């Protein structure tokens, strides 16, 4: 095995925002977090958290083939993204099963330049709390006024500020 251990240090952009916050609103990396890093071979490689759980900066590690190097960008969370032929795609789920413990992770992007690896959000999200829901209520729909809010999106990596655009398979209502 000629694989070489490669380590990256990553942090959150300002203001410090991540997928989920603790009760105090603090955003930190968590055990199990993984980022995807484009490499010189054109692959999106999974880098796993190796140090820094509970912190705003953390270390991620992966084994790269000999001669393979880190490329121009990284994404979080790794599991949401795919990369093929110069196109980055992210899937924004229609919903999350919070009762089953499913984590809410909002996609982030980092341009890699020297030692700078600061992640920034690609889109927004919000939480709605509703009190006194009638017992007869069976569902709650959020309608986005013809804006696409879930499904597959592509990201223009050539732009100064990466842009996220809906693909045909995305829908406007969730």
């Amino acid at each position: 095995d000629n694989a070489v251990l490669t380590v990256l240090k990553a942090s959150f952009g300002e203001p410090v925002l991540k997928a989920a916050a603790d009760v105090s609103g603090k955003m930190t990396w968590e055990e199990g977090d993984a980022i995807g890093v484009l490499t010189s071979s054109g692959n999106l490689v999974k880098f796993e958290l190796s140090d820094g759980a509970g912190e705003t900066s953390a270390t991620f590690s992966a084994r790269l083939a000999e001669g393979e190097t880190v490329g121009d960008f990284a994404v979080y969370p790794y599991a949401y993204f795919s990369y093929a032929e110069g196109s980055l795609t992210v899937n924004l789920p229609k919903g999350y099963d919070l009762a089953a413990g499913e984590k809410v992770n909002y996609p982030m992007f980092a341009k890699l330049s020297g030692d700078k690896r600061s992640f920034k959000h690609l889109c927004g999200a919000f939480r709605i709390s509703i009190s006194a829901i009638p017992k007869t209520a069976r569902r709650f729909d959020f309608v986005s006024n013809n804006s696409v809010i879930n499904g597959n999106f592509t990201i223009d990596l050539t732009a100064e500020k990466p842009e996220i655009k809906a693909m045909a398979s995305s829908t406007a209502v969730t």
Side-chain angles (χ1 to χ4, degrees), residues 63-125:
R63 297 193 72 75
L64 300 180
E66 187 174 357
E68 188 173 20
T69 59
V70 169
D72 297 332
F73 71 85
V75 291
Y76 171 85
Y78 170 78
Y80 283 18
F81 290 88
S82 62
Y83 181 79
E85 300 177 21
S87 179
L88 185 64
T89 302
V90 61
N91 181 273
L92 299 178
K94 187 173 184 178
Y96 299 92
D97 188 349
L98 301 178
E102 187 176 3
K103 285 176 49 177
V104 178
N105 294 306
Y106 307 122
M108 294 189 288
F109 176 90
K111 282 193 175 186
L112 304 180
S113 176
D115 290 337
K116 186 175 182 180
R117 295 172 181 98
S118 183
F119 281 86
K120 306 224 183 290
H121 284 276
L122 286 168
C123 58

Side-chain angles (χ1 to χ4, degrees), residues 9 60 63 83 86 91-92 113 121 143 146 164 171 173:
K9 184 87 168 177
F60 293 82
R63 297 193 72 75
Y83 181 79
N91 181 273
L92 299 178
S113 176
H121 284 276
V143 180
N146 297 323
I164 188 166
T171 57
V173 178

Side-chain angles (χ1 to χ4, degrees), residues 5-8 35 46-51 59-63:
L5 180 64
T6 304
V7 178
L8 293 176
I35 61 176
K46 182 179 184 179
F47 276 65
E48 296 177 317
L49 180 74
S50 54
D51 186 43
T59 303
F60 293 82
S61 304
R63 297 193 72 75

